[in-house]
Amino acid sequence: MTQTAQVKQTFPNGTAQVAVVRQGACAHNCSECGGCMTAAQPTVTALAQNAVGAREGELVVVETENAQLMGIIAFVYLVPMVLLIAGYLVAQAFGLTQGWCILAAVAAFAVSILLVVALDRRVKRRRALQFRIVAVQEV
């Protein structure tokens, strides 16, 4: 997956801190929406490998592995819904009342949130999601 980012800071070890406008907040089609003259767009900052020698303030193209990113996205969105439904159905299979089924679904959903938080910490600790600057955009 590629995104446009702005280099905020460069480091001597060949990395750079980049700010990426969240895709959901910006369609990157400025001619149709009037550009970025609106309210501040939500941004995400991340470290990226700076093999192209981008400098502070430059707009760059940042890339990450699609397969790994899609796996993380699938886990974050699907696991909570699957566990929510599974919690309800398992409780129902045991013949519990609707109130207990709902409680079991909420408990299973809470467990899924803990799993998502654990995944987030693991990804951050292992730096499993690596960003690379692949090109400097011409203005």
Side-chain angles (χ1 to χ4, degrees):
M1 182 169 94
T2 61
Q3 293 181 316
T4 302
Q6 182 178 25
V7 178
K8 292 296 183 184
Q9 187 176 5
T10 58
F11 302 103
N13 64 355
T15 61
Q17 182 183 33
V18 295
V20 180
V21 175
R22 289 187 49 205
Q23 290 288 5
C26 180
H28 296 292
N29 193 357
C30 297
S31 62
E32 286 190 21
C33 74
C36 294
M37 302 300 178
T38 59
Q41 300 291 325
T43 59
V44 176
T45 58
L47 286 178
Q49 297 171 352
N50 187 9
V52 299
R55 295 186 303 265
E56 291 181 25
E58 289 184 320
L59 289 178
V60 293
V61 177
V62 179
E63 179 181 76
T64 189
E65 285 292 325
N66 278 347
Q68 190 169 22
L69 183 63
M70 291 303 151
I72 292 170
I73 290 170
F75 186 88
V76 167
Y77 284 101
L78 293 178
V79 168
M81 287 297 106
V82 168
L83 286 182
L84 176 79
I85 294 167
Y88 187 92
L89 293 176
V90 167
Q92 189 177 41
F94 281 108
L96 299 177
T97 65
Q98 186 175 9
W100 285 108
C101 291
I102 291 171
L103 185 61
V106 169
F109 185 77
V111 168
S112 73
I113 298 303
L114 294 175
L115 292 173
V116 168
V117 169
L119 174 67
D120 180 56
R121 290 182 179 169
R122 182 177 180 215
V123 167
K124 285 180 182 175
R125 186 177 57 248
R126 293 186 177 184
R127 297 181 191 256
L129 197 56
Q130 295 290 323
F131 294 94
R132 292 180 303 279
I133 298 174
V134 294
V136 176
Q137 285 189 339
E138 299 296 323
V139 181

